[in-house]
Amino acid sequence: MRTCQLLLRSGLTVTAAAVLPLALTAGPAGAASGISVSTTGTTVSVTTSACSQNRTTGVWGTGSLLTSSQASFAEGRKATLAGTTVSQSTAWTNVTPGTYTVIVMCQNATTPVGTQTVIVSAAATPRATATATASPSRGVMGGLGGATKDYGPLTLGVGAGLVGTGVIATGWFLRRRAKPYRL
């Protein structure tokens, strides 16, 4: 009975060890599309590593940004991919707020590398105010925590006296402990 349990446990361990590398290379579910889409303000960018460069034209592929009313790759706002053999990317600027679909097609491909939906929100526009914000005149005083103040020679003398008293008291206490027969 004990041998069966031991074999069962070792079999599960071997199975888990064999499956773990496959699970780690699979990546997250969102990465299965082959593209990674991000937004920053009114800019939408897409990155992929699935395309290869056309040797004659130098083109990696094309990305298309489709609005909710557009249905095909050809109808979208197109941008050419640029990059290296490791990563290719493109970006669309001044995108109005809304929901978009990003499709990436490699050069000479009939099926898209990936399709992903992205939401672009309205970017906050900076406003000029009548009052100016004051900036520090000397910057940060580094080295001592940035918030030091000079208290003068009196404070320094009192502090030095307290430290000296502490050192003398510590020495006296340790000397008395070394000779327990003395009172």
Side-chain angles (χ1 to χ4, degrees), residues 100-155:
Y100 295 89
T101 302
V102 177
I103 301 173
V104 174
M105 299 279 284
C106 291
Q107 50 86 21
N108 298 331
T110 57
T111 59
V113 172
T115 302
Q116 192 170 343
T117 303
V118 65
I119 298 173
V120 177
S121 58
T125 56
R127 296 183 196 167
T129 58
T131 60
T133 57
S135 59
S137 60
R138 297 187 311 167
V140 177
M141 297 185 331
L144 295 172
T148 61
K149 183 177 177 183
D150 185 18
Y151 288 105
L154 177 63
T155 307

Side-chain angles (χ1 to χ4, degrees), residues 2-160:
R2 186 173 182 137
T3 305
C4 290
Q5 288 179 347
L6 184 61
L7 287 175
L8 179 63
R9 286 183 189 161
S10 64
L12 292 174
T13 305
V14 169
T15 304
V19 172
L20 183 63
L22 296 175
L24 291 176
T25 58
S33 69
I35 63 174
S36 173
V37 180
S38 63
T39 61
T40 305
T42 61
T43 301
V44 176
S45 58
V46 63
T47 304
T48 186
S49 59
C51 295
S52 59
Q53 188 176 28
N54 185 327
R55 297 191 193 279
T56 57
T57 62
V59 175
W60 293 92
T62 307
S64 182
L65 182 69
L66 284 74
T67 63
S68 58
S69 63
Q70 297 171 327
S72 70
F73 182 83
E75 294 176 5
R77 187 173 154 190
K78 292 179 204 59
T80 305
L81 293 174
T84 64
T85 56
V86 177
S87 174
Q88 305 87 40
S89 64
T90 190
W92 297 270
T93 57
N94 299 325
V95 178
T96 58
T99 303
Y100 295 89
T101 302
V102 177
I103 301 173
V104 174
M105 299 279 284
C106 291
Q107 50 86 21
N108 298 331
T110 57
T111 59
V113 172
T115 302
Q116 192 170 343
T117 303
V118 65
I119 298 173
V120 177
S121 58
T125 56
R127 296 183 196 167
T129 58
T131 60
T133 57
S135 59
S137 60
R138 297 187 311 167
V140 177
M141 297 185 331
L144 295 172
T148 61
K149 183 177 177 183
D150 185 18
Y151 288 105
L154 177 63
T155 307
L156 182 62
V158 170

